[in-house]
Amino acid sequence: MQRVWCRDLPATDMLVRGARVVDPLIGLDAVRDVLVRKGVVTAVGDAVETPKGVRVVDAAGCLLLPGFVDLHTHTRVPGREDEEDLASVSRAAAAGGYVAIFAMANTDPAVDTAPVLESLQRKAQAEALVPVGLFAAVTRGLQSAELTEMWELAEAGAVGFSDDGRPLANCHILRRAMQYLKVTDRFIAVHAQDDSLMGAGVMHEGAVSARLGLAGIPTISESIDVARSLEIAAYEDARLHLCHVSTARSLEHLALARQSGVRVTAEATPHHLTLTDEAVESLDSNLKMNPPLRPESDRKALVEALRSGVIDCIATDHAPHAQQEKEVPFEEAAFGTVGLETAFAVIYAAMVPGKQLTLPVLVERMSQAPARIAGIAEPTIQSKRPADFCVVDPRATWQVTAASLHSKCANSAWLGATLKGRVKLTVAAGRLVWEDGA
Ligand SMILES: [Zn+2]
Ligand SMILES: [Zn+2]
């Protein structure tokens, strides 16, 4: 099991009554009472008796789901604590129904040595509400030149390796890193991007970028690097994870490689699954991300891949940015959107009522699939298992505003939007870490 770190909070005693419990791991989808004693689920059933002194939460009409796991969070720690710190990012995660998050290594300094990784563990133990796992960098300073001490970083507790934020530009370096995976039993998460094709692009290259006169990022900037990374992973029989896949062509490479036995997993983000480059007509800099929002045909292909399992999981790529990095002309704005607090509501509303995705499949892609990839215990609603769940009211509407977000930054692609579906409470590692209105 991979290691994660958080504050030591008091264990929860609670009876959640009458929620629709959906746990795809055990094929459960029924109205149940769930009793938690000292942080452990002790009963799941009809009309569970309330032990003396245990708080009862009436959850009629709500969903009780295995807690979500985010494989792709930018915590900005160390280096940009003005944008986010482990307290704020873990509160945002808890408010979004997450019970574990995994921090990317493109910080300042980068997580490229064991001492940096270990200092983050201590910080998470002091500040984080929900368990935090840590990626380590593949190359020193994310420079694609010199490998980090991968064995030492794995021993120190790195869940995997990633230079995310930057591509691994050098094939030889990527190959060497994959050879080292054999002694570390970890995976490499790749931000697929060919810099020479990306150029100075700021949005998807297509009809909309042409209309706006903005420099485009072609789909091949991503799909070429996806194909190349898959080739090297196949050759070295190494475990590869593809971050934020955004194009239909990448999915074709992925599906083919998977069929031929390459050990590859992949994620898609809430924004790529629900928004398209048409939205960029507004020139709202919160819609500027990398990879960029793509056309409807790519979005549709992503949704189908998520449904079929070609895409394994949903990851937020939560990327906080200070106001001054976003309140500039679109061309100059930083890439990225925050996403932890809106992920479930956004995808649920876009896909479940219209039946593009069933609720159990959505839950699996947000909770158990990413947990498996990370190598932590899969959240599940079963007796004798740690309480790792969230309660969501699918009828509740709320507006995304700077004040409603717990992240230090409000650069949300959904800023101002009214969303349907609100996380009412989150229990992570047996601790009550979020309660709406509390
Ligand atoms: Zn990335
Ligand atoms: Zn990222």
Side-chain angles (χ1 to χ4, degrees):
M1 283 286 148
Q2 297 297 340
R3 285 181 279 162
V4 288
W5 298 268
C6 66
R7 280 168 60 189
D8 190 15
L9 297 165
T12 294
D13 283 286
M14 174 185 289
L15 176 65
V16 184
R17 212 180 261 300
R20 177 183 164 199
V21 180
V22 179
D23 183 353
L25 191 69
I26 50 171
L28 176 63
D29 184 350
V31 172
R32 290 281 186 267
D33 298 338
V34 175
L35 180 62
V36 178
R37 300 305 304 270
K38 294 193 173 74
V40 176
V41 174
T42 55
V44 181
D46 296 320
V48 171
E49 243 178 79
T50 315
K52 230 181 167 169
V54 168
R55 180 185 164 203
V56 178
V57 175
D58 175 16
C62 292
L63 308 168
L64 190 151
L65 310 172
F68 310 137
V69 174
D70 192 30
L71 276 182
H72 195 143
T73 301
H74 294 279
T75 66
R76 303 299 187 223
V77 184
R80 285 306 300 269
E81 287 82 353
D82 61 312
E83 292 185 327
E84 201 81 287
D85 56 36
L86 294 184
S88 66
V89 77
S90 63
R91 187 172 299 278
Y98 284 87
V99 298
I101 58 174
F102 289 86
M104 281 299 173
N106 65 333
T107 48
D108 185 16
V111 186
D112 59 3
T113 65
V116 177
L117 190 102
E118 283 155 2
S119 79
L120 277 174
Q121 292 168 7
R122 287 192 294 274
K123 235 179 203 138
Q125 283 171 325
E127 298 175 23
L129 277 177
V130 306
V132 176
L134 301 166
F135 278 95
V138 181
T139 66
R140 286 185 198 279
L142 315 185
Q143 295 297 307
S144 269
E146 199 186 338
L147 290 181
T148 55
E149 299 288 344
M150 291 172 71
W151 187 82
E152 195 181 314
L153 284 159
E155 285 293 294
V159 67
F161 296 91
S162 184
D163 278 8
D164 179 64
R166 294 292 310 143
L168 282 155
N170 181 314
C171 287
H172 171 69
I173 286 283
L174 179 55
R175 180 186 177 195
R176 293 277 292 150
M178 285 182 169
Q179 290 171 337
Y180 270 103
L181 286 184
K182 290 185 183 119
V183 291
T184 63
D185 190 31
R186 298 295 195 278
F187 62 99
I188 290 181
V190 159
H191 168 119
Q193 168 181 315
D194 182 284
D195 279 343
S196 67
L197 290 167
M198 164 111 179
V202 295
M203 69 171 292
H204 170 72
E205 177 183 283
V208 182
S209 68
R211 256 196 323 269
L212 294 171
L214 291 175
I217 304 169
T219 55
I220 49 172
S221 161
E222 174 181 298
S223 58
I224 277 178
D225 195 359
V226 165
R228 178 196 69 130
S229 302
L230 287 166
E231 276 293 290
I232 301 171
Y235 192 83
E236 293 296 345
D237 187 25
R239 244 185 96 198
L240 171 69
H241 178 75
L242 297 172
C243 294
H244 44 53
V245 175
S246 75
T247 82
R249 185 65 182 147
S250 298
L251 294 170
E252 290 172 20
H253 291 304
L254 167 59
L256 213 61
R258 172 105 24 86
Q259 274 169 26
S260 68
V262 178
R263 294 190 292 149
V264 57
T265 53
E267 67 188 35
T269 69
H271 44 277
H272 291 117
L273 286 162
T274 60
L275 300 170
T276 69
D277 64 337
E278 296 284 340
V280 180
E281 294 262 21
S282 66
L283 292 179
D284 174 357
S285 64
N286 289 334
L287 298 170
K288 181 177 175 183
M289 43 279 266
N290 181 23
L293 298 177
R294 302 290 188 185
E296 178 65 7
S297 52
D298 288 302
R299 189 196 70 82
K300 273 197 173 140
L302 273 185
V303 173
E304 173 51 25
L306 182 68
R307 190 200 60 73
S308 70
V310 168
I311 292 282
D312 299 82
C313 69
I314 292 163
T316 66
D317 199 4
H318 179 87
H321 283 291
Q323 239 172 347
Q324 68 269 22
E325 294 174 0
K326 282 292 194 179
E327 285 185 352
V328 291
F330 191 88
E331 296 94 312
E332 293 159 33
F335 289 105
T337 173
V338 292
L340 286 166
E341 296 174 70
T342 49
F344 180 80
V346 160
I347 297 175
Y348 178 85
M351 292 178 200
V352 177
K355 298 193 165 55
Q356 290 99 316
L357 214 62
T358 66
L359 182 57
V361 169
L362 172 56
V363 170
E364 206 272 334
R365 306 289 190 257
M366 287 190 73
S367 171
Q368 290 147 356
R372 276 196 300 277
I373 294 168
I376 59 172
E378 294 160 86
T380 182
I381 316 299
Q382 297 184 61
S383 213
K384 298 188 181 130
R385 295 291 294 267
D388 268 316
F389 61 77
C390 59
V391 175
V392 182
D393 185 345
R395 305 152 301 187
T397 58
W398 59 290
Q399 199 186 16
V400 184
T401 62
S404 74
L405 296 174
H406 297 82
S407 172
K408 282 192 188 179
C409 296
N411 59 299
S412 166
W414 296 275
L415 193 66
T418 298
L419 302 183
K420 200 170 174 198
R422 178 95 181 151
V423 177
K424 305 302 282 182
L425 68 83
T426 305
V427 177
R431 276 82 177 156
L432 178 64
V433 291
W434 161 254
E435 189 158 10
D436 195 17

